[in-house]
Amino acid sequence: MINRKIIFTGPVGAGKTTAIAAISDIKPITTDEYASDMTKSRKPQTTVAMDYGLIRLSDKERVHLYGTPGQERFDFMWDILTKGGIGLVLLLDNTRKDPFQDMRFYTNAFRDFIEKQQMVVGVTRMDLQHKPGLADYRQCLESLSLPSPIFEIDARSHKDVTMLIQALLFSLDPGVTN
Amino acid sequence: MLKHSKTGPLKVALLSVGPHNRAILEFFFAGAGRSLFKTVSIPEAEALIVDYDHVGAKDEWEQQSNTHKPGIVLSVHPVELSNTIWLPKPLTSKALTEAVGRVYALASAAEAAAAPAPVAAEPPPKREVVREEPVVSSSAPQQLFGGGSFPQPFGVSAKPARKLRSLVIDLSDEDDEDDSSLVAKPVAPEVAAEVEKVFDPAEANISMEEVARTVEPEVPPEVAEQRWRELCGDREDIDDPSDRRMDAIFFTPENYLLSNVLEAVRLARQSNQSVQLKLPGGGYALLMPDMSQAYCTLDTRADEFAMLCNNPVQTGQVALHIPSSTELLQLEEEARDHAGGILDLEAFIWVVSLLTAQGRLSRNVDVNKRIALKHWPNMTRLEQFPQVMRIAALWSQRPGTLFEIAKALDIPQRYVFSFYTAASTLNLFELDQTKLKSREKEKPQESRGLFARLLKRLLGGGKK
Ligand SMILES: Nc1nc2c(ncn2[C@@H]2O[C@H](COP(=O)(O)OP(=O)(O)OP(=O)(O)O)[C@@H](O)[C@H]2O)c(=O)[nH]1
Ligand SMILES: [Mg+2]
């Protein structure tokens, strides 16, 4: 069985669960309550509540989709990322107070993984609020020395989320043909 | 919540259980219920789980009853059978957790009743059962796997995600904290060993409910190809840049509507006001820098618009106008009434560039110069043409000339030329030669096939 993984991250309400649902073959599950059952007696920081979806390519090949919880640290993701993580989808909510702060935070938290693999950025809820614009996000990415693809997306749109994944795959290997 | 601490999980075997509930059980056993249950074969089991709503389950339970193992009966309706406990569906974590204690109670009751004569099967060992105060007390049973009944596995629509918010530390919306307090410590793979093992659904191999996704109707191939010809032309490749056919691939932007559009955009951005561009034939485009939108009375996909872009315009045919505030209100209202004509401002510039160039290059381009893409175009809002993603991906990683990029990707040059014209009109290329650098990473060769299959799946609209 070949298991590869794509991770969706970003602040609360950015559209992680929705984006996974938009492309998953299965109804995504959320591991919240399993996790909370496990950790009621422990420190809250160890709680891991992930979204999980799946794309089955064949009996032997699967692409797993994970949505990170809104936690301050993502150390726990390493366990998952190091086993077949191919890329990171960072979703930013344009209606948040300071989405650039979010961008700095998440790109820093996953910096090693981004450097090794690849990140794509989707800015959601631009239909609700036009500003800041994509040009501002491009500046922010440039200041972080990250030439990642960045698109305006609606997390509910299969087409938009698919385009982000396309950009991710082509960035990993422009030689891929479809 | 019940927890038995000393002697390990309750060994259970699954008899007939429907796929949905089987998935729920397996998921629970692999995750939160890991310390409570362990699945084993029937002879090893201390208790048997049977889905009474599943066909053949009753017969199967009957056959097993001579083993005298206690049963956990799952059913929508109450089931009363000797030596069993009933768990109502939909299953909850609370009910599953409590089931362990109930099974032991059942076993000891059976033991007491059977004494002094020993029961045929060895009774399960007695275990210490520790009762823990539940952290969240709720009168209604906690619904772990979704509010509804089948088919709503795992509570997606129940939105349980919100519950955890109180437990996790999140980025603050309200306070202006300084950056350093928010910056997570960079994590490295080496620390993975110290990190607590996290339940990974990828390894649990759980079966879950498929979703049926409606496939968007595809544009007929001949229609798509016709449009690509409008956008990118149909010129053959030129292998040698000194070829005299090269002359034909250049155009003079100043002669076309494109230059008026760019002038209008500049004016709009500089003045931060909406600008109306009056087109030949009575139509107009309203450029709204504030919203980063454009409204055009002509359909940018119509032949009329393509011709307007692709034929040189005479001076005086096109006019720029800064509307007064009353005019602007009217124009904006008209735009709102014809929302189909509103598009992203960059998308408008993009499509005008493409339709103008039709695969040609601006006369000012130096085809021998190495360049690199600095920023990706906003692909989700732009009109697509073949190979556009691959071109962007390669060019943002590897500086190269137009010819080199086409060659490296083994694609028709007209697509690279089109991309160049449109993306440079949007100022997405790095102009500073000293800043060019390769960002290419090692390509995972073995992944290429998988990536290709994933792309095919996604682009096929969800079809398998
Ligand atoms: N209007 C609009 N709504 C969106 C867009 N993207 C996502 N949403 C909606 O935003 C809401 C939040 O999306 P979620 O997918 O729950 O966000 P999340 O990142 O999983 O949030 P948490 O799990 O709370 O961290 C949902 O109701 C989505 O339908 C968008 O581009 N525009
Ligand atoms: Mg979510």
Side-chain angles (χ1 to χ4, degrees):
Chain A
M1 179 70 73
I2 296 168
N3 287 310
R4 305 305 299 271
K5 301 167 180 181
I6 297 174
I7 290 79
F8 290 71
T9 194
V12 173
K16 302 176 291 290
T17 310
T18 311
I20 290 174
I23 56 168
S24 175
D25 285 353
I26 57 162
K27 289 200 175 175
I29 59 169
T30 166
T31 59
D32 283 48
E33 284 166 313
Y34 301 101
S36 66
D37 260 13
M38 294 273 288
T39 55
K40 264 172 193 160
S41 54
R42 299 189 200 150
K43 283 184 301 188
Q45 283 90 334
T46 59
T47 302
V48 178
M50 288 181 294
D51 292 317
Y52 172 69
L54 175 68
I55 298 174
R56 282 196 202 91
L57 297 179
S58 69
D59 290 347
K60 293 203 187 74
E61 274 181 338
R62 293 165 164 220
V63 178
H64 305 271
L65 312 168
Y66 296 78
T68 66
Q71 270 169 315
E72 195 185 52
R73 301 190 57 180
F74 298 95
D75 310 31
F76 66 87
M77 286 304 294
W78 274 111
D79 207 29
I80 284 165
L81 290 174
T82 47
K83 286 181 230 147
I86 55 179
L88 184 73
V89 178
L90 170 59
L91 298 181
L92 297 170
D93 172 357
N94 207 46
T95 66
R96 294 252 304 174
K97 190 171 153 226
D98 189 353
F100 305 113
Q101 175 97 306
D102 295 336
M103 186 188 269
R104 286 190 290 272
F105 172 80
Y106 287 95
T107 53
N108 187 56
F110 286 93
R111 193 179 45 211
D112 293 353
F113 182 67
I114 296 167
E115 262 161 35
K116 195 166 142 279
Q117 294 292 322
Q118 180 70 34
M119 171 180 75
V120 291
V121 186
V123 184
T124 63
R125 294 165 166 264
M126 286 193 110
D127 53 327
L128 302 176
Q129 190 173 308
H130 293 280
K131 286 195 165 161
L134 220 51
D136 304 309
Y137 285 96
R138 289 181 186 138
Q139 291 306 319
C140 187
L141 273 178
E142 194 183 352
S143 73
L144 295 164
S145 300
L146 293 166
S148 311
I150 177 163
F151 309 151
E152 169 184 347
I153 72 153
D154 187 322
R156 297 164 295 186
S157 156
H158 172 81
K159 183 178 144 282
D160 284 3
V161 180
T162 291
M163 233 176 241
L164 266 186
I165 305 296
Q166 268 191 75
L168 178 70
L169 298 175
F170 283 129
S171 295
L172 283 159
D173 185 358
V176 174
T177 48
N178 54 287
Chain B
M1 193 181 2
L2 289 166
K3 214 174 176 184
H4 48 103
S5 52
K6 298 249 159 64
T7 40
L10 175 68
K11 290 185 201 142
V12 290
L14 302 189
L15 303 182
S16 292
V17 177
H20 173 71
N21 285 289
R22 182 175 290 266
I24 290 174
L25 291 173
E26 284 171 359
F27 197 69
F28 182 75
F29 295 165
R34 204 156 39 175
S35 61
L36 301 175
F37 292 93
K38 181 170 194 257
T39 39
V40 293
S41 64
I42 295 175
E44 287 177 88
E46 296 164 336
L48 305 173
I49 299 183
V50 63
D51 178 351
Y52 228 55
D53 307 330
H54 196 250
V55 277
K58 293 185 177 113
D59 290 343
E60 207 186 347
W61 175 248
E62 206 98 299
Q63 283 162 22
Q64 293 298 334
S65 62
N66 60 354
T67 64
H68 301 286
K69 297 190 190 218
I72 301 175
V73 177
L74 320 178
S75 178
V76 186
H77 307 290
V79 177
E80 275 182 54
L81 291 169
S82 66
N83 201 27
T84 67
I85 60 162
W86 168 59
L87 292 191
K89 291 183 196 167
L91 296 173
T92 67
S93 61
K94 188 162 179 271
L96 282 167
T97 306
E98 287 175 355
V100 180
R102 290 174 64 198
V103 167
Y104 290 134
L106 202 63
S108 25
E111 215 179 328
V119 261
E122 210 176 283
K126 270 217 143 193
R127 294 173 195 227
E128 187 188 338
V129 176
V130 182
R131 184 171 281 276
E132 245 179 39
E133 272 313 303
V135 174
V136 189
S137 66
S138 109
S139 48
Q142 198 185 350
Q143 291 239 324
L144 177 55
F145 304 111
S149 45
F150 192 81
Q152 251 325 303
F154 305 123
V156 183
S157 61
K159 266 254 161 251
R162 300 282 159 210
K163 255 194 222 160
L164 262 192
R165 293 286 96 83
S166 57
L167 293 179
V168 300
I169 305 156
D170 200 11
L171 289 174
S172 167
D173 259 346
E174 260 51 74
D175 316 302
D176 269 320
E177 293 168 65
D178 73 36
D179 275 10
S180 60
S181 73
L182 282 175
V183 169
K185 290 190 191 69
V187 284
E190 298 78 61
V191 305
E194 299 161 29
V195 170
E196 188 201 356
K197 176 100 176 84
V198 168
F199 169 67
D200 184 352
E203 282 160 24
N205 202 18
I206 38 182
S207 56
M208 276 165 294
E209 192 190 344
E210 303 274 331
V211 283
R213 186 165 290 115
T214 46
V215 179
E216 276 178 44
E218 267 177 48
V219 183
E222 59 284 2
V223 174
E225 277 159 28
Q226 168 59 26
R227 181 61 177 168
W228 296 337
R229 268 194 297 278
E230 278 176 351
L231 296 171
C232 307
D234 50 11
R235 262 182 196 71
E236 296 290 317
D237 282 3
I238 297 174
D239 295 328
D240 174 11
S242 63
D243 193 309
R244 56 188 173 78
R245 286 180 299 158
M246 275 297 282
D247 257 5
I249 71 165
F250 291 110
F251 73 103
T252 309
E254 292 73 24
N255 295 345
Y256 295 89
L257 177 68
L258 176 61
S259 64
N260 306 97
V261 169
L262 293 180
E263 199 188 329
V265 171
R266 240 186 330 268
L267 177 62
R269 284 190 175 143
Q270 270 165 15
S271 63
N272 202 23
Q273 290 185 66
S274 294
V275 169
Q276 188 185 20
L277 180 69
K278 294 186 176 168
L279 304 172
Y284 70 88
L286 181 68
L287 309 179
M288 300 171 276
D290 195 40
M291 314 272 279
S292 272
Q293 284 182 336
Y295 166 67
C296 188
T297 55
L298 298 179
D299 180 356
T300 58
R301 302 187 69 106
D303 290 348
E304 193 188 354
F305 189 75
M307 275 160 58
L308 195 61
C309 293
N310 193 235
N311 289 303
V313 288
Q314 312 300 320
T315 31
Q317 276 189 318
V318 180
L320 293 192
H321 173 63
I322 296 190
S324 69
S325 44
T326 35
E327 280 176 320
L328 189 59
L329 282 176
Q330 271 176 10
L331 290 169
E332 285 176 347
E333 197 182 314
E334 185 174 340
R336 269 195 302 277
D337 289 346
H338 302 88
I342 298 178
L343 66 171
D344 184 83
L345 186 55
E346 284 192 344
F348 183 66
I349 302 169
W350 174 270
V351 74
V352 172
S353 313
L354 291 171
L355 290 169
T356 307
Q358 291 200 307
R360 295 173 300 169
L361 294 168
S362 160
R363 205 156 278 293
N364 314 317
V365 173
D366 177 357
V367 293
N368 296 312
K369 195 163 150 186
R370 285 227 160 93
I371 42 170
L373 190 67
K374 188 168 160 188
H375 304 294
W376 275 70
N378 183 18
M379 297 292 189
T380 51
R381 300 295 175 262
L382 303 175
E383 210 177 327
Q384 304 284 303
F385 57 84
Q387 311 293 351
V388 63
M389 284 273 189
R390 295 179 67 202
I391 297 168
L394 185 63
W395 231 336
S396 71
Q397 293 174 9
R398 177 199 295 184
T401 67
L402 294 133
F403 290 97
E404 286 169 348
I405 295 296
K407 191 149 190 251
L409 292 174
D410 193 20
I411 59 175
Q413 288 165 354
R414 59 181 182 277
Y415 296 135
V416 179
F417 295 177
S418 295
F419 181 89
Y420 175 79
T421 302
S424 62
T425 311
L426 293 175
N427 295 318
L428 300 176
F429 278 95
E430 178 61 79
L431 300 175
D432 185 346
Q433 288 284 313
T434 64
K435 286 192 180 163
L436 296 184
K437 63 172 178 193
S438 171
R439 300 168 181 274
E440 282 185 280
K441 296 173 192 170
E442 218 174 291
K443 309 271 179 312
Q445 283 299 332
E446 77 284 4
S447 299
R448 193 171 269 192
L450 179 128
F451 290 178
R453 285 186 287 281
L454 178 56
L455 277 173
K456 199 162 160 240
R457 261 301 294 292
L458 290 169
L459 298 176
K463 281 179 295 195
K464 282 204 186 148

